[in-house]
Amino acid sequence: MDIGVHTPPLYGESFEDALAYLHGIGVDAVEPGVGGYPGDTHMPRGEYLNDDDAQAELHDLLDEYEMRISALATHNNPLHPDDDTAAEADTELREAVELADQLGVDTVTCFSGLPAGGPNDEVPNWVTAPWPGEHADAHEYQWEEVAIPYWSDLAEHAADHGVDLAIEMHPNMLVYEPTGMLRLREATNERVGANFDPSHLYWQGIDVTDAIRFLGEHDAIHHFHAKDTKVYDAKARYKGVLDTTPYDEEPDRSWLFRSVGYGHGEEHWKDIVSTLRMVGYDGALSIEHEDSLTSSNEGLEKAVGILQRAIFREQPGEAYWA
């Protein structure tokens, strides 16, 4: 395993300066944005796609700082009911897959997207209950008429390029928990899997190590985001966890994204690492910093410190005691 960083928190620095900093604190891999919500500040997709010289310079830069790219990130909504919005997201995804192939990167991280609740709606609709009945009908429409046809085609595109599509299970997206993730994978192909981000699962009440085992049984974990969440029970007990309070109004929220170790302790993160190894995942733990209680640099450095003590660098030897 190795330690990675999703680079948007460092967009105030050049990509080279960010690589130098990350190398200095013990990071092995980066997950740069190439479109969508992460943006493309460090790696403008159009500057590298189909450009051998630019790609060679990029490889030289990565080699200089002993860094690899764990995935290219383009999180957006290719299922959006607005045709222009959906088309832009689709282009980003397809070109990210093509660029990953050209760079020798085997993974693109993304969202599943979220459709409208029907063919005449104008905004995405996150359905969270089967009643009243029109919600169940909307959910079925989203899956059968929009998501599965789209993702089946995109999965073939990814397969043609030998690239995995790692979907982050994210509320306000169609795939937001492990059974939905597996449903989409089974309806498409093995290139579709999870960018397993535990932060969105904690506040839903999902046991993270059980979820890793569940998806791992189906070889459905393609990438991992190291990101924590703290549920503040004093708020959650009376307002629940479906919290629309802005993220920067911290005292009033029932949960917050936190740096690794500040939502769950080091022992828990060692259990996560062990469970990932148990199901055969030995890729990057890509730190995604979205902790509003600490600076980007301090949050990243504290997360790196915990993960350095948690990850396994070597393959296990023979179980001589068995």
Side-chain angles (χ1 to χ4, degrees), residues 258-296:
R258 299 305 317 275
S259 301
V260 170
Y262 283 80
H264 298 78
E266 186 169 330
E267 181 178 352
H268 173 77
W269 280 91
K270 289 179 176 178
D271 196 16
I272 285 177
V273 167
S274 297
T275 308
L276 286 169
R277 167 151 286 190
M278 198 178 298
V279 302
Y281 181 82
D282 268 320
L285 277 65
S286 185
I287 299 165
E288 183 180 24
H289 174 82
E290 292 183 349
D291 186 341
S292 60
L293 298 181
T294 181
S295 70
S296 294

Side-chain angles (χ1 to χ4, degrees), residues 48-50 55 59 69 72 93-108 157-164 191:
Y48 291 95
L49 189 63
N50 301 318
Q55 292 175 20
H59 284 302
I69 296 176
L72 301 180
L93 258 174
R94 291 178 186 275
E95 290 185 354
V97 167
E98 294 161 14
L99 179 57
D101 183 13
Q102 293 173 13
L103 292 174
V105 175
D106 60 9
T107 306
V108 168
H157 179 67
D160 289 342
H161 288 275
V163 172
D164 288 334
R191 289 294 175 180

Side-chain angles (χ1 to χ4, degrees), residues 52 71 104 181 212 253:
D52 292 341
M181 181 71 260
I212 290 171
R253 284 192 55 80

Side-chain angles (χ1 to χ4, degrees), residues 73 76 83 85 111 127 133 144 151 158 190 224 227 231 234 241-242 244 288 303 314:
N76 210 331
D83 290 341
T85 301
F111 290 148
V127 178
E144 298 299 329
W151 279 98
E190 64 184 9
F224 187 91
K227 181 179 166 191
V231 175
V241 293
L242 295 176
T244 58
E288 183 180 24
E314 300 177 3

Side-chain angles (χ1 to χ4, degrees), residues 165-277:
L165 296 164
I167 294 173
E168 185 173 336
M169 297 173 284
H170 198 297
N172 286 314
M173 294 290 160
L174 186 63
V175 172
Y176 60 92
E177 46 75 39
T179 65
M181 181 71 260
L182 192 59
R183 178 179 179 180
L184 189 62
R185 178 178 171 85
E186 291 178 341
T188 54
N189 66 30
E190 64 184 9
R191 289 294 175 180
V192 174
N195 177 27
F196 195 105
D197 186 329
S199 68
H200 308 295
L201 306 185
Y202 289 126
W203 66 262
Q204 293 183 67
I206 294 171
D207 186 286
V208 165
T209 53
D210 285 352
I212 290 171
R213 283 175 175 264
F214 173 74
L215 289 175
E217 289 172 359
H218 301 276
D219 296 321
I221 300 176
H222 292 332
H223 196 255
F224 187 91
H225 268 179
K227 181 179 166 191
D228 214 336
T229 292
K230 174 69 175 178
V231 175
Y232 295 96
D233 292 330
K235 289 290 183 181
R237 277 193 291 268
Y238 69 85
K239 70 185 297 189
V241 293
L242 295 176
D243 194 344
T244 58
T245 305
Y247 287 118
D248 59 358
E249 295 180 14
E250 296 93 348
D252 295 325
R253 284 192 55 80
S254 54
W255 58 267
L256 288 173
F257 295 133
R258 299 305 317 275
S259 301
V260 170
Y262 283 80
H264 298 78
E266 186 169 330
E267 181 178 352
H268 173 77
W269 280 91
K270 289 179 176 178
D271 196 16
I272 285 177
V273 167
S274 297
T275 308
L276 286 169
R277 167 151 286 190

Side-chain angles (χ1 to χ4, degrees), residues 80-83 115-125 138 141-142 145-146:
H80 200 287
D82 178 76
D83 290 341
N120 299 317
D121 294 355
E122 296 183 353
V123 296
N125 187 340
Y141 162 81
Q142 290 176 319
E145 297 190 38
V146 183

Side-chain angles (χ1 to χ4, degrees), residues 9-10 13 21 25 289 294-303:
L10 302 176
E13 307 177 33
Y21 164 70
I25 64 172
H289 174 82
T294 181
S295 70
S296 294
N297 286 42
E298 187 172 20
L300 288 172
E301 290 167 19
K302 289 183 180 297

Side-chain angles (χ1 to χ4, degrees), residues 4 13 16 18 26 41-42 85 91 93 98 110 119 126 152 156 200 209 244 261 283:
E13 307 177 33
E16 181 170 4
T41 299
H42 281 160
T85 301
T91 297
L93 258 174
E98 294 161 14
C110 55
W126 187 38
S152 295
E156 290 182 10
H200 308 295
T209 53
T244 58

